[in-house]
Amino acid sequence: MKQMIKSLYAHTPNRLKTRLHNLLNSDGFYTNKSQNLIDKITHLSTPITDKELQKRVLKDNLLLVEIEIASFCNRTCWFCPNSSIDRKSASVELPEEVFVKLIDNLAQIDYDKDLNFHRFNEPLADMELLLKRVSQARAKLPKARFTIFSNGDYINKQKLEELRNAGVNSMLISYYYGREKSYDKECVILPAMEKMRQKLGLAYKVVEDSSQQYCVLFDYKDMEIYYRVWNPQTSGQSRGGAIELMKRTRKVDSGCFQGAMNFYVDYNGLVMPCCHTRSDVAEHRDFIVGDCNKQDMFEIFFSPSFARLRAELLTSNPCSAAVRRICRDCSDRRREQFLALG
């Protein structure tokens, strides 16, 4: 276990090394904070069957839950697996009893972090379903932060108010331009911002203007509404190797911490270890870590298979060939977020 901590330190960016160094005393690894980190990694890398310990570990580590409430998406963006997998011809809903079970599991730990109602779907395509699911979740998770991701095609001001009244805290709306266009501020980005401003009738301020992303925040009561254009050429991922056009040669010197902090549920109830993998991509099926139709969140998160995968991913040492195949060019490792948990 000490070797794992040393590996984390050795591959940590310089700006974080002071933070990690302060965790260690002169003997190396025995201050309270460093011991907490060792305990955390141990718990996350070990199958746990004791229910009270499961609750405590999940409460201490779980930061994000994404539940795909239905399969439908109206778009086939070129940088998304939906460009080759049919998500348009029908909409398959996550069974209500599965959704409610997951919310009940989260209520058992008094969950107060992020809950999203999407994965690769467009949640606003079925407002009746979305409002029902948000209301069901809000009734049992009063402290959690609810966020809706959307492509913006279905949004209007009335729907914003309905979502706010149901308990949504924030929205992230993305403008996706076609392959024939480029990340051009004057010709592409600013016209898109103005069009959405007119559609919603709301003022906004710019919160990011970089080569990776242009993002604005609309002024709407106590609800945060972000509208962004991101640059797939600099920020895009191949989604576990599923998008040939998005594959990059990257030097990655970190383990992956998504599976230690996040829980991703596809519309069919199957659970994936990270946001880039999905159960309907053939190359990812070996990485399905659980089935919410048959198991609860605790059984899946602390199962032997998920614990083994986390243990493999937490280090920066070479992983198995199967993991390297889908993770080799991914830079979305979230190490700094994990270390910030303390």
Side-chain angles (χ1 to χ4, degrees):
M1 192 57 63
K2 289 184 183 180
Q3 187 60 39
M4 186 179 291
I5 304 296
K6 289 179 180 178
S7 177
L8 281 171
Y9 182 81
H11 294 89
T12 296
N14 289 332
R15 66 183 182 279
L16 285 179
K17 282 191 173 180
T18 299
R19 177 182 175 86
L20 266 183
H21 186 268
N22 289 337
L23 297 179
L24 314 176
N25 65 7
S26 58
D27 293 327
F29 290 91
Y30 294 102
T31 63
N32 288 335
K33 289 185 177 180
S34 61
Q35 186 60 54
N36 289 341
L37 184 57
I38 292 171
D39 291 344
K40 183 186 295 291
I41 293 174
T42 300
H43 285 144
L44 291 168
S45 305
T46 307
I48 298 175
T49 56
D50 180 86
K51 195 59 175 285
E52 292 307 311
L53 181 56
Q54 288 179 342
K55 290 179 182 179
R56 180 166 64 83
V57 174
L58 208 58
K59 174 71 173 177
D60 290 345
N61 292 282
L62 194 61
L63 298 181
L64 169 66
V65 177
E66 286 191 355
I67 304 176
E68 192 172 45
I69 61 174
S71 64
F72 178 80
C73 183
N74 62 308
R75 291 202 175 201
T76 54
C77 298
W78 61 273
F79 50 80
C80 174
N82 289 352
S83 60
S84 59
I85 296 173
D86 180 19
R87 288 290 193 96
K88 292 184 73 172
S89 62
S91 184
V92 180
E93 293 182 15
L94 178 73
E96 184 172 27
E97 60 270 21
V98 173
F99 179 83
V100 171
K101 178 172 65 174
L102 289 165
I103 300 304
D104 286 340
N105 292 160
L106 293 172
Q108 290 181 55
I109 62 170
D110 192 26
Y111 185 67
D112 58 358
K113 301 300 192 300
D114 288 318
L115 175 62
N116 299 342
F117 298 79
H118 78 283
R119 289 215 68 224
F120 291 86
N121 60 317
E122 172 48 54
L124 269 70
D126 188 339
M127 275 294 290
E128 181 179 358
L129 175 66
L130 177 58
L131 291 171
K132 182 178 181 179
R133 295 291 181 259
V134 169
S135 297
Q136 288 172 318
R138 182 54 75 199
K140 296 185 178 182
L141 303 175
K143 301 175 186 177
R145 177 180 173 82
F146 293 179
T147 299
I148 305 294
F149 282 50
S150 172
N151 59 35
D153 291 349
Y154 299 92
I155 194 63
N156 58 44
K157 199 169 183 178
Q158 178 183 339
K159 290 179 180 177
L160 287 181
E161 185 65 12
E162 291 174 343
L163 290 168
R164 175 179 174 272
N165 290 339
V168 173
N169 302 102
S170 67
M171 286 195 68
L172 177 59
I173 308 170
S174 297
Y175 172 69
Y176 302 128
Y177 54 84
R179 287 192 65 197
E180 73 283 356
K181 296 182 179 179
S182 62
Y183 187 75
D184 185 296
K185 184 174 178 179
E186 297 300 325
C187 297
V188 175
I189 297 174
L190 293 182
M193 297 295 118
E194 176 60 20
K195 185 176 180 179
M196 184 59 73
R197 185 195 68 78
Q198 293 182 13
K199 185 177 183 180
L200 298 180
L202 300 173
Y204 68 75
K205 63 179 179 180
V206 178
V207 294
E208 182 176 350
D209 182 359
S210 69
S211 61
Q212 287 78 39
Q213 179 173 264
Y214 188 95
C215 184
V216 304
L217 174 63
F218 283 103
D219 183 13
Y220 186 67
K221 301 182 180 180
D222 58 350
M223 185 176 175
E224 294 179 351
I225 304 169
Y226 293 95
Y227 188 44
R228 69 171 181 177
V229 181
W230 62 276
N231 186 353
Q233 299 302 329
T234 59
S235 305
Q237 301 284 345
S238 70
R239 299 296 192 181
I243 307 298
E244 192 69 32
L245 289 170
M246 296 300 293
K247 289 182 178 179
R248 301 285 187 269
T249 299
R250 290 187 171 106
K251 184 178 185 296
V252 179
D253 62 353
S254 168
C256 181
F257 299 85
Q258 287 210 41
M261 304 179 294
N262 306 334
F263 196 80
Y264 301 97
V265 184
D266 283 355
Y267 70 91
N268 49 21
L270 301 179
V271 179
M272 305 305 295
C274 82
C275 66
H276 300 292
T277 52
R278 45 190 278 181
S279 57
D280 56 0
V281 170
E283 293 81 2
H284 299 170
R285 287 175 188 154
D286 289 342
F287 294 90
I288 296 170
V289 294
D291 184 350
C292 293
N293 296 285
K294 303 174 182 177
Q295 304 162 282
D296 66 20
M297 181 180 290
F298 302 102
E299 292 174 297
I300 296 170
F301 193 86
F302 296 103
S303 67
S305 60
F306 204 176
R308 282 195 301 270
L309 181 59
R310 271 196 300 270
E312 183 176 4
L313 291 172
L314 284 173
T315 71
S316 58
N317 295 324
C319 295
S320 66
V323 171
R324 291 199 304 272
R325 174 170 49 82
I326 69 167
C327 301
R328 74 180 78 193
D329 69 338
C330 181
S331 58
D332 189 11
R333 303 302 178 99
R334 310 195 188 186
R335 175 177 55 192
E336 297 180 19
Q337 190 178 25
F338 180 78
L339 293 175
L341 285 173

